[in-house]
């Protein structure tokens, strides 16, 4: 049992009789987060790996995030504008849209997209490295897998997700302004003026903070599930699916 516990700290077998596998993996994820925080503050960061992961998480995810936020903004514009027009509250549409997008919709929708795209990729990549014993090879070369594989991915997600969320917020507002003007004859100045009056600094701070937390959750869960993969190709598939599901559940709980 002692040897198993030692291996669990570095991504080894984590099977314990009578204990659910998801619970052990969750504990391993918490330990991994702690290791990442400690190593980050100690300056043990592979800058090249961080930049590589930033390129993968940020620019390569931008198009799908912007497209999704565009249509989310349009859908809510249709619902809000139609109902508010009946009540004669058209001037309040922009403020309600801005608050809904900044506080809840944009950070959550962006995180869900990233969980499906980046989380699954991380779990599959590290899971494949695990079953093919590449992670064990890193240890043989005196390289800490958490330093080399996990920390750059967590930092990249924590940095890229807030930037993506801010761009998605801008896209959602722009789509709302365009649709309200073309379909409901509500001028752009009405939407933007209402949004600027309703938005506070705390709303933008909440958007950024939520995105940082969601990014850390997605990367930590996905990397932990990948590094504890067992059972060859079938295990990789199971770990990938489980990592995405657990990430989504954790995002909504944290929200």
């Amino acid at each position: 049992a002692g040897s198993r516990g030692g291996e669990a700290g570095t991504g080894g077998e984590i099977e314990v009789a009578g204990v659910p596998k998801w619970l052990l993996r969750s504990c391993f994820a918490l330990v991994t987060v702690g290791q990442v925080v400690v190593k980050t503050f100690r300056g043990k960061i592979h800058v090249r790996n961080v930049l590589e992961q930033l390129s993968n998480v940020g620019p390569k995810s931008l198009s799908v995030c912007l497209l999704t936020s565009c249509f989310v903004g349009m859908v809510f514009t249709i619902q809000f504008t139609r109902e508010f027009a009946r009540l004669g509250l058209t001037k309040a549409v922009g403020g309600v849209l801005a608050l809904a997008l900044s506080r809840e919709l944009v950070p959550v929708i962006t995180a869900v997209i990233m969980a499906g795209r980046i989380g699954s990729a991380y779990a599959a990549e590290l899971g494949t490295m695990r079953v093919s014993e590449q992670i064990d090879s890193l240890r043989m070369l005196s390289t800490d897998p958490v330093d080399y594989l996990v920390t750059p991915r967590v930092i990249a997600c924590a940095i890229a997700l807030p930037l993506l969320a801010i761009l998605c917020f801008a896209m959602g507002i722009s789509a709302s302004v365009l649709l309200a003007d073309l379909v409901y004859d509500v001028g752009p100045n009405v939407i933007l003026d209402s949004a600027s009056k309703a938005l506070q600094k705390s709303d933008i701070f909440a958007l950024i903070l939520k995105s940082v937390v969601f990014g850390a959750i997605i990367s930590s869960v996905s990397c932990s599930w990948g590094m504890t993969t067992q059972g060859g190709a079938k295990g990789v598939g199971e770990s990938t699916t489980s990592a995405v599901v657990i990430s989504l559940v954790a995002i909504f709980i944290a929200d």
Side-chain angles (χ1 to χ4, degrees), residues 5-248:
E7 289 176 356
T10 54
E13 304 294 333
I14 58 169
E15 290 185 345
V16 176
V19 181
K21 191 174 182 179
W22 66 267
L23 181 59
L24 293 173
R25 279 179 155 175
S26 300
C27 293
F28 179 76
L30 293 176
V31 173
T32 302
V33 171
Q35 290 179 325
V36 169
V37 172
V38 171
K39 293 177 185 296
T40 300
F41 279 104
R42 288 182 178 177
K44 294 183 178 180
I45 302 173
H46 290 263
V47 178
R48 181 179 177 183
N49 288 357
V50 172
L51 295 177
E52 181 181 346
Q53 294 303 322
L54 272 174
S55 174
N56 185 40
V57 176
K60 293 182 180 180
S61 304
L62 182 60
S63 58
V64 64
C65 290
L66 291 180
L67 183 64
T68 304
S69 61
C70 174
F71 285 103
V72 168
M74 287 184 175
V75 167
F76 279 85
T77 299
I78 292 172
Q79 300 300 325
F80 288 161
T81 307
R82 185 165 51 190
E83 298 303 323
F84 276 46
R86 294 177 182 176
L87 301 174
L89 299 174
T90 307
K91 293 184 178 180
V93 172
V96 174
L97 279 171
L99 293 177
L101 288 172
S102 63
R103 292 179 179 178
E104 296 295 336
L105 292 176
V106 166
V108 172
I109 293 297
T110 306
V112 168
I113 295 171
M114 298 303 290
R117 185 185 181 278
I118 299 300
S120 59
Y122 284 176
E125 184 179 356
L126 296 187
T128 302
M129 295 180 69
R130 171 66 184 161
V131 299
S132 62
E133 300 182 350
Q134 295 181 47
I135 292 179
D136 295 329
S137 300
L138 287 175
R139 295 196 190 98
M140 292 295 292
L141 297 172
S142 300
T143 301
D144 188 345
V146 176
D147 280 351
Y148 191 76
L149 299 174
V150 180
T151 303
R153 287 169 168 79
V154 174
I155 293 175
C157 282
I159 293 175
L161 206 60
L163 299 177
L164 289 172
I166 291 173
L167 294 175
C168 288
F169 174 72
M171 174 60 76
I173 291 294
S174 300
S176 300
V177 169
L178 179 63
L179 186 65
D181 186 29
L182 294 178
V183 178
Y184 296 100
D185 199 26
V186 178
N189 59 320
V190 176
I191 300 292
L192 295 177
D193 183 61
S194 175
S196 63
K197 290 180 179 179
L199 274 180
Q200 304 292 327
K201 292 181 180 179
S202 59
D203 298 318
I204 303 301
F205 177 76
L207 168 67
I208 296 174
L209 179 61
K210 282 187 176 183
S211 300
V212 171
V213 173
F214 294 162
I217 289 174
I218 293 168
S219 53
S220 300
V221 169
S222 301
C223 291
S224 300
W225 259 243
M227 293 186 67
T228 53
T229 298
Q230 303 170 28
K234 181 180 179 181
V236 173
E238 291 176 350
S239 292
T240 302
T241 302
S242 178
V244 174
V245 172
I246 296 298
S247 295
L248 294 177

